[in-house]
């Protein structure tokens, strides 16, 4: 572990000053600039102290997810809860808001951003004199740090599962990343892009097997399922990768109503593993994105960013576990 003298050399202050700051001497008055430089040096040298770990930061969470979206996809309510619980455990004070304009910048040490943001808001965030961390996505990896699920790995792993089962005809059901009605450009979701890229590389991509709804809700999935039945009931692909569990729930409803049997007629693999995934008929095989871990890593990452700012940008990608249920038979997987 680093010594007080090493930290003093790194920070540019006397060992006595460094010692009193790191030990939280209540009789010693140091400027905020001095405190930040000393704490940053201590972090960079892996110095462990009670003060570093217990200092209370004020963090604003811009949760740019509408209440309707949060109701449609419990993934986001789980993420909100995880951020709140992780911050409480770490001694960080969180304030939730939905817009950048609602953030009280004075007294705020950092920002966690979740959801979709207009280009002008992103430009304003880049100019803020504080650390900004995106969670779940990253609109500009060159400008922002992020903690997010490794969706590319998830998509590639799902395709591998289908191929290991001998499937060649594989479809995809997804949603749009941006809502054009709110004045935003409609972009292809990363799961859609990864699916097409990997399937083209394998020379298996069929654009007729790709269905993209307006969003990631149950209703959107149901509409996609009905469209699939109407267009290709007699030429159904062997399996579908569905971009989220709510979408998959709607797809299963449409298939059940039209007597398309899962997994006998078509297999389904989904993404998220929300609670309802194990109760639908049939229960969904899905990749579990651990929102509890996502929130915990995000809070700890932002704490470190505030204490020890760095110029290089980091993207932390979290793995996901495949939970096999009846929508994709275990026995379909070849040894």
């Amino acid at each position: 572990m680093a010594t007080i003298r090493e930290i003093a050399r790194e920070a540019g202050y006397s060992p006595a000053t460094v010692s009193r700051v790191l030990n939280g001497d209540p009789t010693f008055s140091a400027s905020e600039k001095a405190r930040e430089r000393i704490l940053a040096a201590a972090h960079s040298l892996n110095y462990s102290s009670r003060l570093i770990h217990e200092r209370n930061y004020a963090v604003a969470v811009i949760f740019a997810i509408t209440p309707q979206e949060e109701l449609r996809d419990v993934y986001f309510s789980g993420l909100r809860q995880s951020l709140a619980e992780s911050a409480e455990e770490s001694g960080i004070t969180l304030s939730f808001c939905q817009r950048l304009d609602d953030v009280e910048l004075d007294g705020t040490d950092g920002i966690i951003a979740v959801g979709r943001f207009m280009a002008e808001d992103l430009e304003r965030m880049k100019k803020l004199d504080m650390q900004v961390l995106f969670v779940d996505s990253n609109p500009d990896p060159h400008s922002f740090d992020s903690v997010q699920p490794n969706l590319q790995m998830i998509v590639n792993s799902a395709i591998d599962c289908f191929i290991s089962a001998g499937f060649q005809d594989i479809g995809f059901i997804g949603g749009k990343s941006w809502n054009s009605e709110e004045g935003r450009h409609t972009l292809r979701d990363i799961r859609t892009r990864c699916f097409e890229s990997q399937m083209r590389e394998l020379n298996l991509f069929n654009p007729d097997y790709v269905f993209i709804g307006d969003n990631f809700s149950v209703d959107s999935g149901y509409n996609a399922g009905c469209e699939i039945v109407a267009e290709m009931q007699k030429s159904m692909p062997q399996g579908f990768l569905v971009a989220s569990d709510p979408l998959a729930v709607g797809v299963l409803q449409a298939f059940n109503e039209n007597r398309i049997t899962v997994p006998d007629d078509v297999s389904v693999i989904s993404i998220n593993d929300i609670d309802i995934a194990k109760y639908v008929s049939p229960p969904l095989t899905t990749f579990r994105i651990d929102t509890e871990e996502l929130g915990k890593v995000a809070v700890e990452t932002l704490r470190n960013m505030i204490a020890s700012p760095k110029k290089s940008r980091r993207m932390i990608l979290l793995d996901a576990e495949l939970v096999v249920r009846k929508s994709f038979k275990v026995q379909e997987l070849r040894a």
Side-chain angles (χ1 to χ4, degrees):
M1 184 177 72
T3 66
I4 294 293
R5 290 187 179 279
E6 289 172 332
I7 296 171
R9 284 196 297 270
E10 177 77 13
Y13 293 92
S14 70
T17 298
V18 170
S19 177
R20 295 177 75 175
V21 168
L22 292 181
N23 286 288
D25 186 344
T27 67
F28 182 68
S29 177
S31 68
E32 189 61 27
K33 179 181 178 181
R35 287 175 54 84
E36 291 297 336
R37 287 187 63 177
I38 290 169
L39 290 173
H43 256 294
S44 67
L45 295 172
N46 295 318
Y47 180 86
S48 176
S49 77
R50 177 183 60 80
L51 180 63
I52 290 176
H53 290 292
E54 294 184 4
R55 185 182 174 199
N56 192 314
Y57 291 117
V59 171
V61 180
I62 309 177
F63 210 78
I65 305 294
T66 67
Q68 293 79 11
E69 289 172 319
E70 202 167 334
L71 284 173
R72 285 197 301 256
D73 192 343
V74 296
Y75 167 82
F76 289 108
S77 58
L79 180 55
R80 175 195 287 270
Q81 181 178 350
S82 174
L83 289 170
E85 292 176 351
S86 299
E88 184 176 0
E89 291 173 2
S90 300
I92 290 177
T93 301
L94 287 190
S95 57
F96 282 85
C97 57
Q98 200 168 6
R99 302 180 307 148
L100 178 59
D101 288 338
D102 298 329
V103 177
E104 294 287 347
L105 296 178
D106 290 340
T108 297
D109 296 300
I111 289 175
I112 290 176
V114 181
R116 304 184 296 264
F117 293 86
M118 302 288 282
E120 52 264 39
D121 286 334
L122 296 177
E123 289 303 314
R124 289 172 59 196
M125 287 185 198
K126 294 176 186 178
K127 298 174 183 177
L128 291 176
D129 187 24
M130 66 180 66
Q131 299 296 316
V132 178
L133 176 72
F134 275 80
V135 181
D136 181 62
S137 63
N138 192 337
D140 186 353
H142 295 295
S143 301
F144 301 108
D145 296 86
S146 65
V147 176
Q148 45 192 124
N150 193 341
L151 293 175
Q152 180 174 349
M153 180 278 297
I154 292 172
V155 170
N156 290 346
S157 296
I159 292 171
D160 288 343
C161 287
F162 284 126
I163 291 176
S164 295
F167 295 179
Q168 297 290 305
D169 299 327
I170 307 167
F172 180 84
I173 301 170
K176 295 175 183 175
S177 287
W178 305 84
N179 188 338
S180 57
E181 293 179 357
E182 297 174 0
R184 302 182 178 108
H185 295 294
T186 300
L187 302 176
R188 290 199 306 164
D189 177 67
I190 185 173
R191 286 157 286 195
T192 308
R193 289 186 278 118
C194 290
F195 177 83
E196 179 176 340
S197 175
Q198 180 69 359
M199 292 293 286
R200 285 190 183 279
E201 187 173 328
L202 296 169
N203 200 30
L204 295 175
F205 182 70
N206 185 339
D208 294 336
Y209 291 163
V210 176
F211 295 83
I212 305 299
D214 290 332
N215 50 57
F216 295 88
S217 67
V218 174
D219 288 342
S220 185
Y222 178 81
N223 292 335
C226 291
E227 182 181 354
I228 291 166
V229 171
E231 290 187 9
M232 56 176 51
Q233 186 165 3
K234 294 182 180 179
S235 57
M236 191 84 67
Q238 295 164 290
F240 276 108
L241 171 59
V242 186
S244 75
D245 287 348
L247 272 174
V249 170
V251 170
L252 290 181
Q253 289 178 352
F255 284 177
N256 288 335
E257 288 178 7
N258 290 276
R259 299 183 180 180
I260 303 296
T261 303
V262 176
D264 294 333
D265 296 328
V266 59
S267 289
V268 171
I269 296 178
S270 183
I271 299 172
N272 281 162
D273 194 35
I274 60 177
D275 285 343
I276 197 174
K278 55 191 169 192
Y279 298 118
V280 293
S281 179
L284 279 168
T285 292
T286 180
F287 283 87
R288 176 180 294 150
I289 295 178
D290 191 339
T291 53
E292 181 178 346
E293 183 69 9
L294 197 61
K296 186 181 300 184
V297 173
V299 167
E300 185 60 28
T301 298
L302 184 60
R303 172 186 280 282
N304 293 336
M305 288 167 57
I306 295 170
S308 182
K310 291 181 172 60
K311 292 183 179 180
S312 59
R313 296 304 172 195
R314 290 161 290 179
M315 180 185 295
I316 300 174
L317 300 176
L318 301 188
D319 199 357
E321 173 191 3
L322 179 64
V323 181
V324 180
R325 300 192 181 99
K326 294 183 178 179
S327 70
F328 182 83
K329 294 180 180 177
V330 178
Q331 55 264 39
E332 288 177 340
L333 290 171
R334 293 177 176 176

